[in-house]
Amino acid sequence: MEEHQIVERLRNKDNECFIEIINEYKRKVMSLCYAYTQDYFEAEDLSQEVFISLYNNIVKFREECSLSTYIYKISISKALDYKRKRNLKGFLSGLFTNNIQPMEYDIDEKNHVRKCISSLPRDLKEAVVLYYYVGLKEKEISKVLNVSQKAVEGRIYRAKQKLRIEIQRGDIEVCKKSGMI
């Protein structure tokens, strides 16, 4: 079935088609959300919000990009909203507490890499997450982020450079072992 027909079925609130879309994209959406939240349950909630938003707003989809690109755009938007709300909540609660927590030294290498990715600037983080976590190709990422394919390549390259420095700072060579850097 062609994508236009799928979109029409979704616009007509075809629940069977909607379930097929969920089954096709749920893992990638969940991975993308997890990359932003670092919490399985929050990522699960965000993923549900993504699909609810798709269901409610499919009539606004202008088909200027593929359906998958549209789904990833919704996912990034929801994840960024989550981060903004969480940062504001953390800031406000920090104003009213005097408890200073000692820094926890996380020896788990995967968590360290995730923290390094989380600390990247937004444009670099989006490219890395879509490339390594979701598994999109550079061309697809360029459509999701509305930038050229060369810009995506540059962002991934710069992100790798920053990650290499940050990870080496912590004396962890995980990315080299996995072939990511």
Side-chain angles (χ1 to χ4, degrees), residues 5-156:
Q5 293 170 320
I6 293 170
V7 170
E8 282 305 313
R9 286 180 64 193
L10 290 173
R11 285 182 176 143
N12 292 326
K13 304 298 183 195
D14 182 333
N15 289 334
E16 188 177 306
C17 182
F18 185 65
I19 290 169
E20 289 173 24
I21 293 298
I22 290 173
N23 289 333
E24 184 174 340
Y25 290 99
K26 67 183 172 187
R27 286 183 182 226
K28 289 184 178 186
V29 169
M30 181 75 170
S31 294
L32 180 58
C33 292
Y34 183 81
Y36 280 89
T37 64
Q38 302 300 307
D39 180 298
Y40 177 81
F41 298 107
E42 291 290 341
E44 198 172 54
D45 288 346
L46 275 179
S47 298
Q48 290 173 3
E49 287 182 32
V50 167
F51 289 112
I52 289 168
S53 181
L54 174 66
Y55 187 81
N56 291 333
N57 297 307
I58 192 68
V59 294
K60 297 177 185 174
F61 178 50
R62 295 186 303 254
E63 297 185 59
E64 293 171 355
C65 60
S66 68
L67 182 60
S68 62
T69 299
Y70 185 64
I71 292 170
Y72 298 135
K73 284 182 178 186
I74 294 170
S75 301
I76 289 173
S77 176
K78 293 289 182 190
L80 292 173
D81 287 347
Y82 166 83
K83 283 196 72 145
R84 274 191 287 275
K85 288 175 188 172
R86 191 180 76 188
N87 288 342
L88 180 61
K89 185 185 276 185
F91 172 73
L92 293 175
S93 67
L95 290 175
F96 299 106
T97 58
N98 292 330
N99 298 341
I100 298 174
Q101 301 281 331
M103 285 184 61
E104 292 181 25
Y105 294 98
D106 189 11
I107 58 172
D108 181 22
E109 294 175 348
K110 286 183 180 180
N111 284 338
H112 181 69
V113 171
R114 286 185 185 120
K115 286 179 184 175
C116 291
I117 291 171
S118 293
S119 71
L120 288 171
R122 178 179 162 186
D123 61 332
L124 302 182
K125 179 181 176 179
E126 289 172 343
V128 165
V129 167
L130 289 169
Y131 190 76
Y132 289 106
Y133 282 74
V134 178
L136 296 182
K137 302 211 180 320
E138 291 168 349
K139 186 175 184 178
E140 294 170 307
I141 296 169
S142 70
K143 291 178 183 175
V144 171
L145 300 178
N146 291 325
V147 296
S148 70
Q149 189 172 341
K150 283 289 186 192
V152 171
E153 291 170 11
R155 288 177 184 185
I156 291 171

